Amino acid sequence: MAYFEWAQDMVIDNGPIDDDHRLLVDQVNMLHTATSQGRGQEVVAQLLGSIIAETQAHLRREEQMMERTQFPDLERHKQGHARFVEELRQLQQKHQAGSITVAAQLSTLLRDWLSLHIRRGDKELQRFMQQQQRQQRNSGGK
C-alpha cells in the first residue's frame, strides 16, 4: 500500500490540475519508499529541487485558472501557496545545511499539505467553477 493514495475525492478537473497533483503524490510516495529503505538522504537531494519547481508551476496554473474564472478567494489561496513554497524552501536549506531529517519531514509535509490543499482549497475552486458552468447553462450560455 502506498504512503499516500490517490482517491476519487481528490479529482478536480480530470485534466492538468489532477495531472500535477498525481505527479506530486507519486513523488511523495517515491520519497517515502526511499526513506523507509534507508535511502532518504540520497533521494531527497534528487527530488527536492524538482518538487519545488513542479509545485511552483502547479500553483501558478491554479492561480491562473482562479484569475480566469474570477474566483473570489484568490488572494487567500495565493497567500497559502506562498507559505507552502516557503516551507519547502526552508526544508531545502535545512537539507543543504546537512540535516538528516529532511526526507521524513518532506514526506509528511507534502502528504499532509497535498491532502488538505486538494480536498479543501481546490475543492472550493471546483465547486465555484461548477456553479459558474451551471449559471452559464441556465442563462443559455450568454
Side-chain angles (χ1 to χ4, degrees):
M1 182 172 177
Y3 176 65
F4 184 35
E5 297 265 345
W6 179 262
Q8 195 59 34
D9 71 329
M10 297 168 70
V11 172
I12 301 299
D13 69 347
N14 287 307
I17 299 297
D18 289 338
D19 292 344
D20 289 348
H21 289 160
R22 286 178 188 266
L23 176 63
L24 291 168
V25 166
D26 288 346
Q27 289 175 321
V28 170
N29 287 325
M30 189 175 8
L31 179 61
H32 180 74
T33 298
T35 301
S36 66
Q37 295 171 347
R39 298 180 304 109
Q41 279 298 99
E42 166 193 333
V43 172
V44 77
Q46 298 166 356
L47 275 181
L48 197 49
S50 68
I51 287 172
I52 291 172
E54 289 163 9
T55 298
Q56 287 176 308
H58 165 69
L59 296 175
R60 274 192 304 275
R61 276 189 285 282
E62 277 190 2
E63 290 170 5
Q64 288 168 349
M65 183 181 290
M66 290 175 180
E67 286 171 1
R68 276 193 314 274
T69 61
Q70 299 177 341
F71 182 67
D73 216 5
L74 173 61
E75 285 310 311
R76 184 176 61 85
H77 280 263
K78 280 185 173 182
Q79 291 169 3
H81 292 168
R83 279 192 303 274
F84 179 63
V85 170
E86 181 56 31
E87 288 182 75
L88 290 174
R89 289 197 173 154
Q90 287 173 3
L91 283 177
Q92 187 176 42
Q93 289 171 351
K94 284 176 74 172
H95 177 69
Q96 290 168 344
S99 174
I100 60 170
T101 62
V102 170
Q105 289 174 324
L106 181 60
S107 288
T108 302
L109 174 67
L110 286 170
R111 180 201 61 202
D112 294 349
W113 183 83
L114 268 172
S115 183
L116 289 174
H117 168 76
I118 296 168
R119 289 185 169 116
R120 290 190 186 158
D122 287 354
K123 284 294 181 178
E124 290 175 25
L125 174 60
Q126 180 190 42
R127 284 188 293 273
F128 178 76
M129 291 187 316
Q130 288 171 340
Q131 180 183 18
Q132 279 190 322
Q133 290 170 349
R134 279 191 302 275
Q135 289 172 347
Q136 286 177 344
R137 280 194 305 270
N138 291 339
S139 68
K142 295 177 186 173

